[in-house]
Each structure stands twice: as C-alpha cells, then as structure tokens.
Amino acid sequence: MTFAKYLILVKHSVPDILENVPAREWHLSENGRARARTVAGKLRIYRPEILFSSVEPKAQETAEILAEGLGLKFQTVDGLHEHDRNRSQF
C-alpha cells in the first residue's frame, strides 16, 4: 500500500505575549502547549516523517511537542522565522 506524501505547514501554537519582549523571543503559553499536543494527535494520520522549525522559541517549543507526540525528532532551520520587524523598510 502506498501513501500520498504531504507538505504540512503548521504555525507555532499560542504564545505567551509579553508586551515589552520582541515577538521573536516569546514562548508558548500553557494553552499553546495544550493545543500543540492536540495538533500532534491530529497529524498522526498523515504519517509525518520529519519536522522542521524556525529558531524562534515559540516555534521550537511547538515542534518539540509535535515531535514528542509523533515519535519524531525535529530540526531547526534558519530563515523560517516570521516577518522581520526589526529593520526599517525605507
């Protein structure tokens, strides 16, 4: 039996938003961790083989939870981060 291959894109889960901390440094909230565990369960039917994450803490934490729930490892990759809000566009 053959299975279709999928590219599944998952946004990081719900972060703990800290007003004076840049978004790139946010971590997951308790709710975010719980929701990531739920997503891991739903992804099982697709039989993922590998997980990649940006280097941002909230993304790595999401990937770690998904990896644990799916029995996989994950790799961080530069350049997968959100919009770069640190540079002026002009």
Side-chain angles (χ1 to χ4, degrees):
M1 176 182 274
T2 61
F3 291 93
K5 297 285 184 173
Y6 297 94
L7 172 63
I8 304 167
L9 302 176
V10 177
K11 183 181 186 284
H12 62 76
S13 196
V14 181
D16 190 12
I17 298 171
L18 301 173
E19 188 175 316
N20 295 321
V21 176
R24 69 182 178 278
E25 296 176 18
W26 292 346
H27 291 266
L28 293 185
S29 65
E30 286 299 320
N31 181 41
R33 285 188 277 283
R35 291 176 68 160
R37 286 189 288 277
T38 299
V39 169
K42 293 181 181 209
L43 290 177
R44 260 188 223 107
I45 63 169
Y46 297 102
R47 300 180 182 201
E49 297 174 2
I50 191 164
L51 294 171
F52 296 100
S53 167
S54 79
V55 297
E56 293 185 1
K58 60 189 174 282
Q60 286 187 46
E61 291 170 10
T62 300
E64 182 176 12
I65 292 167
L66 295 178
E68 182 179 307
L70 296 166
L72 299 171
K73 293 183 180 185
F74 76 94
Q75 298 175 22
T76 58
V77 178
D78 287 329
L80 293 180
H81 56 277
E82 294 185 48
H83 304 289
D84 187 349
R85 297 178 181 104
N86 293 322
R87 293 183 273 165
S88 172
Q89 293 186 5
F90 302 102

